[in-house]
Amino acid sequence: MGDFIIGLDTEILLWINSHHAPFWDTVMYIVSGKWVWIPFYMTLLYAIYLSYGFRTMILMGLMTAVAVTAADQLCGSLIRPYFERMRPANPDNPISGMVHIVENYRGGRYGFPSCHAANTFALAALTSLLFKRWQFTLFIMLWAIAVCYSRLYLGVHYPGDIFVGMCIGFVCGAAGYTLAGFVLWVFVHFKPMEREARKIVATYKRGAPYIHASLTGNKLLWRPPVLPIVTGLLTFVTIIFYAAIAF
């Protein structure tokens, strides 16, 4: 049974990796990067501030850092050294000759489970639970899936690496959200902050509220999670445009 699963894992990876083109090489290489998503992360933090205020933004920023760090370290420092499963693109892996390599990028030696998958899904799970808006949940889950797919396309992870990383990320993200809720509960019972904390907790339970904005004299109702959605979409469009003009 184990050999069958490993064989299926390899076949799926090679099938995905075999469908490549110069345009998509560029797109997937950039999507897989970290720095390109900084504007998305910044607007995500700003949307938390608009929805819940400064203190909750700091709290959720810290909890996100804790959740992502926990997922990353669990995958990279605890599980990988134990299983020692080589990445498909690693030169010492027997299948590396069949893997399409982009920009000579092969990643580290071991890849089970995927830290990219764990980190992105930790962020996706925590913020989805926080905002409680289906539009945002749909976008950030698709974003996390796109990042994970780029890892398969680049040949640096097996599908099994991605799946286990996703599961770890979900657990860490949900745990971070739960821990933040507990901290807010403590604040409610801390008398000097009771009134403000109760307001924060009420909003925290409802999800991102509507915000009033004035547009040419008319009031406009909108929800802050739209900001990271727009920023993320613009980032994707920019990546595709750059890849298109590069060839």
Side-chain angles (χ1 to χ4, degrees), residues 120-151:
T120 53
F121 273 93
L123 176 64
L126 190 149
T127 52
S128 294
L129 290 168
L130 177 64
F131 286 129
K132 296 181 178 65
R133 299 300 164 209
W134 70 266
Q135 299 93 335
F136 175 80
T137 299
L138 176 63
F139 173 80
I140 200 164
M141 290 300 171
L142 289 175
W143 167 77
I145 290 171
V147 173
C148 290
Y149 180 83
S150 73
R151 307 301 288 171

Side-chain angles (χ1 to χ4, degrees), residues 63-184:
M63 289 301 104
T64 301
V66 169
V68 171
T69 300
D72 188 77
Q73 291 302 305
L74 184 60
C75 293
S77 300
L78 295 179
I79 301 179
R80 281 187 184 178
Y82 180 79
F83 285 96
E84 295 186 341
R85 189 187 193 191
M86 283 190 293
R87 295 177 186 267
N90 189 285
D92 294 330
N93 193 320
I95 73 164
S96 63
M98 296 181 282
V99 177
H100 172 67
I101 308 298
V102 178
E103 298 290 337
N104 201 33
Y105 175 65
R106 296 177 181 271
R109 183 172 179 80
Y110 303 124
F112 176 82
S114 167
C115 289
H116 269 73
N119 297 346
T120 53
F121 273 93
L123 176 64
L126 190 149
T127 52
S128 294
L129 290 168
L130 177 64
F131 286 129
K132 296 181 178 65
R133 299 300 164 209
W134 70 266
Q135 299 93 335
F136 175 80
T137 299
L138 176 63
F139 173 80
I140 200 164
M141 290 300 171
L142 289 175
W143 167 77
I145 290 171
V147 173
C148 290
Y149 180 83
S150 73
R151 307 301 288 171
L152 298 173
Y153 181 98
L154 296 174
V156 293
H157 282 296
Y158 292 97
D161 303 346
I162 298 295
F163 177 74
V164 175
M166 288 169 54
C167 293
I168 292 172
F170 268 117
V171 172
C172 290
Y177 173 80
T178 303
L179 179 59
F182 174 75
V183 172
L184 288 173

Side-chain angles (χ1 to χ4, degrees), residues 1-13 85 158-160:
M1 185 65 178
D3 291 339
F4 172 77
I5 294 175
I6 292 174
L8 181 62
D9 208 23
T10 301
E11 288 182 15
I12 295 174
L13 176 277
R85 189 187 193 191
Y158 292 97

Side-chain angles (χ1 to χ4, degrees), residues 42-77:
M42 296 302 294
T43 52
L44 188 56
L45 196 63
Y46 185 57
I48 296 174
Y49 165 73
L50 291 177
S51 297
Y52 305 110
F54 180 76
R55 281 191 170 89
T56 303
M57 180 195 73
I58 296 299
L59 173 64
M60 297 312 300
L62 290 174
M63 289 301 104
T64 301
V66 169
V68 171
T69 300
D72 188 77
Q73 291 302 305
L74 184 60
C75 293
S77 300

